[in-house]
Amino acid sequence: MISYRVIDQETYPRKAHLAYFMGMERPQFNITADVDVTELRRFCKEKGCSFFLSFLHIVALSADSVPQLRQRIHRFNREEIPLRGAANENAVVQPGGFEIREYEECPTSHTETAGNGTYCYCALRHHMPWEEYLLTAEELQRKAREKGSLEEEAEIEAFYFPTCIPWIHYRDVVHPMTDRFDSNPRFSWGKYEEDFRGRLMMPLTAAVHHGLVDGLHIAGFYRLVEENTAKLISGQL
């Protein structure tokens, strides 16, 4: 079980922001920026390893280092409502009520090509050294393709949802979200291309819930992606 802590909404610094954005039909937003993957592409080519999995490892570890990206809006279901009331007789828990959970770590559930023009899901844990991660991930990728399922993990609320669009160097992308409670961050990246300097630049998109996450937090995520890329290449990740 993935452990988490419940954030006290009364002392939550973003209490007013959360209330404001939860009043919107679609409170999520997307940011896309190019990242320099020149050295990472060269490194992966020399090592003969997967660029996709290496970058996925970087993205997941970077996201986990930003607490706001590990936070989720958990909506109480019918079974939970009476339990919450019993635990705290002063609590007012109604259908549609929610709490904010901050998970200790968040695995990934990424899309894999199913081989018939569709895709399937592949769940991965990433808190391990890069070389161990590659071996584990490649085996789980194989099993996911063989299964070809869209079945989600039991603890899907804790997950990040990454995907790759390797055929297009896009400028922007909008990720589908289920409703205003949907707070699982989505990450996507596209085709890398040379810029005027000869550097390989790749679009990276982060889609998050604005009630939990601001642009400042996303900027920190992009900075960590840059730092962790350098660490992986130097053998520190």
Side-chain angles (χ1 to χ4, degrees), residues 4 12 23 29 59 64 93 99 125 127 136 140 160-161 166 170 178 197 225 231:
Y4 63 86
Y12 182 43
F29 74 98
V59 166
D64 263 3
V93 183
E99 67 185 12
R125 263 66 175 177
H127 283 278
T136 302
L140 290 174
Y160 301 123
F161 299 152
Y170 62 80
T178 56
R197 304 164 299 169
V225 167
K231 286 181 180 179

Side-chain angles (χ1 to χ4, degrees), residues 7-15:
I7 294 177
D8 183 352
Q9 293 190 49
E10 292 304 312
T11 59
Y12 182 43
R14 294 183 59 79
K15 178 181 177 180

Side-chain angles (χ1 to χ4, degrees), residues 16-29 73 177-182 208-211:
H17 302 75
L18 180 62
Y20 175 73
F21 286 108
M22 285 300 287
M24 297 183 178
E25 183 177 348
R26 190 183 185 281
Q28 300 88 1
F29 74 98
I73 299 171
M177 301 287 194
T178 56
D179 55 33
R180 63 193 178 94
F181 292 91
D182 190 338
V208 296
H209 196 293
H210 212 341

Side-chain angles (χ1 to χ4, degrees), residues 137-167:
E138 287 169 356
E139 177 63 15
L140 290 174
Q141 275 184 315
R142 182 186 63 79
K143 291 180 178 178
R145 291 184 189 126
E146 290 176 354
K147 188 176 180 181
S149 173
L150 290 178
E151 181 181 351
E152 295 181 327
E153 294 285 312
E155 297 179 288
I156 196 65
E157 180 179 88
F159 280 62
Y160 301 123
F161 299 152
T163 191
C164 180
I165 312 170
W167 314 278

Side-chain angles (χ1 to χ4, degrees), residues 18-113:
L18 180 62
Y20 175 73
F21 286 108
M22 285 300 287
M24 297 183 178
E25 183 177 348
R26 190 183 185 281
Q28 300 88 1
F29 74 98
N30 301 260
I31 288 182
T32 300
D34 277 351
V35 294
D36 190 332
V37 295
T38 309
E39 304 305 328
L40 180 63
R41 179 67 186 91
R42 182 181 296 119
F43 172 82
C44 290
K45 189 173 183 179
E46 291 174 353
K47 293 286 186 180
C49 63
S50 168
F51 174 88
F52 170 76
L53 289 177
S54 297
F55 193 69
L56 177 58
H57 192 225
I58 289 167
V59 166
L61 288 174
S62 300
D64 263 3
S65 295
V66 181
Q68 291 78 12
L69 294 178
R70 288 185 278 107
Q71 293 171 6
R72 304 289 185 271
I73 299 171
H74 175 78
R75 178 164 45 177
F76 299 129
N77 58 42
R78 292 180 180 275
E79 290 72 28
E80 290 176 306
I81 291 171
L83 293 176
R84 294 288 170 170
N88 181 1
E89 61 182 13
N90 296 318
V92 178
V93 183
Q94 300 174 346
F98 64 88
E99 67 185 12
I100 308 170
R101 296 179 175 181
E102 183 176 299
Y103 285 88
E104 185 175 329
E105 62 177 271
C106 297
T108 61
S109 178
H110 74 269
T111 53
E112 279 287 331
T113 302

